[in-house]
Amino acid sequence: MGANEDQEMELEALRSIYEGDESFRELSPVSFQYRIGENGDPKAFLIEISWTETYPQTPPIISMNAFFNNTISSAVKQSILAKLQEAVEVNLGTAMTYTLFEYAKDNKEQFMENHQPVNSTIPISSIISVETPNTAPSSKKKDKKEQLSKAQKRKLADKTDHKGELPRGWNWVDVVKVYNTSLLGFKKLL
């Protein structure tokens, strides 16, 4: 089998295995993300695996550069990537995306044992205050009108006359329908 056939088979398998799994995301047919850990877990991290053209004969590209991983120190990220690269070398030549995700899930605690959350917020003391002029900026801004699409404008133009008003009796149809149906019911009783 060629590399493309192997990739198609693995793609089909990944889709069936992870169907309905909120942790798994297919970014493209050759790029996948998996969240290891639950939402809100400080030790949760995201792994992105991208296949090369000759994958699985060549190793996939493994990345932890997602915004989700901003609280993880670069040393911990490098440690996780090194351990995943070891698993890649063992599985080279076979479909390994599922194996790598499961390996990361099984070893999450070991991967994150040295994890100290990196505080990405800026301390207040380092923020320089800037004085603003006395003029209120909101007085200069004009309120924006709601923008309508062409289709919405066309429907509005079809409903209204040249002055933008609805024609007289535009809502009488409902009254007439109700009146006629009540008469029909009345005639049946007679």
Side-chain angles (χ1 to χ4, degrees):
M1 276 201 271
N4 286 339
E5 291 173 357
D6 288 342
Q7 288 180 8
E8 287 175 18
M9 287 178 55
E10 185 173 3
L11 177 61
E12 188 177 318
L14 287 172
R15 286 178 177 161
S16 66
I17 291 169
Y18 291 118
E19 183 179 354
D21 189 348
E22 294 178 8
S23 298
F24 178 77
R25 245 178 86 198
E26 180 181 338
L27 303 176
S28 72
V30 295
S31 185
F32 312 93
Q33 282 185 344
Y34 196 85
R35 183 184 69 238
I36 311 296
E38 297 298 318
N39 270 342
D41 181 5
K43 292 190 176 189
F45 58 94
L46 192 77
I47 297 175
E48 183 175 328
I49 296 179
S50 301
W51 297 341
T52 58
E53 286 186 25
T54 56
Y55 170 85
Q57 281 70 35
T58 57
I61 300 165
I62 303 173
S63 171
M64 290 188 68
N65 294 334
F67 181 76
F68 188 84
N69 296 332
N70 277 354
T71 60
I72 302 172
S73 69
S74 60
V76 172
K77 287 181 191 177
Q78 290 303 320
S79 169
I80 293 171
L81 289 173
K83 291 174 184 173
L84 288 173
Q85 285 300 334
E86 291 173 11
V88 166
E89 290 172 13
V90 170
N91 294 305
L92 199 59
T94 62
M96 68 182 91
T97 304
Y98 172 77
T99 307
L100 293 174
F101 288 151
E102 291 302 308
Y103 175 73
K105 280 175 29 180
D106 294 341
N107 296 300
K108 175 188 163 219
E109 292 302 321
Q110 179 187 354
F111 287 171
M112 300 299 281
E113 66 187 356
N114 296 328
H115 172 62
Q116 298 295 324
V118 176
N119 192 359
S120 61
T121 58
I122 301 171
I124 296 175
S125 60
S126 66
I127 298 175
I128 302 171
S129 65
V130 178
E131 292 184 25
T132 56
N134 291 339
T135 59
S138 60
S139 64
K140 290 182 181 180
K141 291 183 180 178
K142 294 182 180 179
D143 292 334
K144 289 187 176 180
K145 290 185 178 179
E146 183 180 328
Q147 297 292 321
L148 299 175
S149 67
K150 279 187 177 181
Q152 289 172 324
K153 289 178 185 176
R154 209 173 292 124
K155 279 185 179 179
L156 191 61
D158 289 343
K159 289 181 182 177
T160 59
D161 61 5
H162 68 281
K163 296 179 186 175
E165 296 176 0
L166 294 170
R168 183 172 178 256
W170 67 273
N171 60 351
W172 291 1
V173 174
D174 293 334
V175 173
V176 172
K177 280 183 184 175
V178 169
Y179 179 73
N180 284 340
T181 55
S182 66
L183 285 178
L184 289 174
F186 181 72
K187 286 181 182 178
K188 287 181 184 177
L189 293 174
L190 293 176

